[in-house]
Amino acid sequence: MQLKKNRFYQLNITTNVFSNLKKLLLEPTKPFSPTEVKTKLFQNICCKQAYLRGSFLATGSINKPSSTSYHLELTTTYENHAKLLMELMQSFNLKPKLLARKKGFVTYLKEGDKIGDFLKIIGAHPSLFTFENIRIMKDMKNSVNRLMNCETANLNKTITSALRQKKEILLIREKLGLEKLPHHLHEVALLRLKHPELPLGQLGQLLKVAKSKSTINYRMQKIAEIAKKLKE
């Protein structure tokens, strides 16, 4: 879990102190500063992964993948340290961004794919599986919603057009008589009155000689022109 802010944590090491400091390229008599992390420590990929892993455990956070957006961040007090974290993440092609806040700096990721890659890089495989499962379910749900919205919009469009066409045909029947229409228009007009719920493509299949959607649409436009003249 993330270490609580506004608290100090002290780690006491009693064995192999000097040998461990030497491995980390630190001087025993000099206080450690995150701004002076030696880049020589990161010659190997595993060292970069270990540093990012430790940074995430200490100051990292990630929002719930089920929320509206994805967000992973590493916080630090020092700008140089934030830039270092950014460089380490860039070395894995994660493309992070840097943000300054009142009490420090944030290196963060916004893309779901990159956050998944980060979890994989630091070895958080159980969390990665959980994150990806929720992402998959979320993406599937969004796809279904988009499809349903599209279908609903198309259905509403079809119904609106059909009602308008029926109204135009009824106007022609009242003021002119449908029998006065050319045969090809008369045939379509009767079908529309009988089947007001059908889209044009299906309506065309009911003709004695089936016609395409574009042909039926053209005939409906002609009927609309006649109805418009009768209104004038």
Side-chain angles (χ1 to χ4, degrees), residues 94-110:
L94 293 179
K95 300 179 181 179
K97 294 183 179 179
L98 185 62
L99 175 67
R101 290 182 179 168
K102 290 183 178 180
K103 296 184 178 181
F105 299 86
V106 177
T107 306
Y108 67 93
L109 297 170
K110 279 289 187 182

Side-chain angles (χ1 to χ4, degrees), residues 172 184-185 217-227:
I172 295 174
H184 64 290
L185 299 184
N217 183 55
Y218 175 78
R219 294 182 181 183
M220 285 299 181
Q221 289 177 1
K222 289 298 182 181
I223 291 175
E225 291 174 4
I226 295 172

